[in-house]
Amino acid sequence: MPTTLSYIAPVILLALSNVFMTFAWYGHLKFDQKPLWIVVMISWGIAFFEYWLAVPANRLGHQVYSAAELKTMQEVITLVVFAVFSVTWLGEKLTLNHGVGFMLIAAGAWFIFRGPF
């Protein structure tokens, strides 16, 4: 019988895994003077820990969510984490276009979880 933790743990693990993955994929952009092979190796090392969170999140989550719901959840979490990261770490600005695009993706997520069809 699923518990509240069965529904919450995958979300928390996916959020944490996305923090690691965002740093693995984009964190090096602040250090563009470093040789590419070094940032690739560091990124790979960071991604190793991301997998230790994402794989259990999906394994546990599949007990209460469909694969499509897990993937949708992961994408929405990725956008939220990336938006915070791009502003705080990279110093970039979010524009109205970003907001509209993110809202359209959120609308797609609504259809996956609660849509009328």
Side-chain angles (χ1 to χ4, degrees):
M1 174 108 181
T3 65
T4 302
L5 187 60
S6 302
Y7 290 92
I8 295 172
V11 176
I12 293 168
L13 290 170
L14 284 173
L16 292 171
S17 75
N18 270 283
V19 170
F20 278 95
M21 204 58 178
T22 300
F23 271 97
W25 285 13
Y26 302 102
H28 63 88
L29 296 177
K30 282 183 76 169
F31 307 104
D32 57 355
Q33 71 284 1
K34 298 289 183 194
L36 184 58
W37 73 271
I38 290 175
V39 296
V40 168
M41 295 303 289
I42 291 170
S43 294
W44 180 76
I46 294 169
F48 173 81
F49 295 102
E50 183 268 342
Y51 272 75
W52 277 100
L53 295 166
V55 172
N58 287 309
R59 174 72 62 97
L60 294 169
H62 199 247
Q63 296 172 15
V64 293
Y65 297 110
S66 70
E69 289 172 332
L70 285 166
K71 181 61 180 170
T72 302
M73 193 182 316
Q74 187 268 330
E75 294 300 335
V76 171
I77 291 168
T78 297
L79 285 175
V80 171
V81 169
F82 183 78
V84 172
F85 174 86
S86 66
V87 170
T88 59
W89 181 257
L90 297 176
E92 296 184 356
K93 294 183 179 178
L94 293 179
T95 67
L96 181 58
N97 285 339
H98 295 121
V100 170
F102 291 168
M103 291 307 295
L104 289 170
I105 292 168
W110 180 82
F111 275 95
I112 296 293
F113 282 94
R114 302 277 185 243
F117 307 112

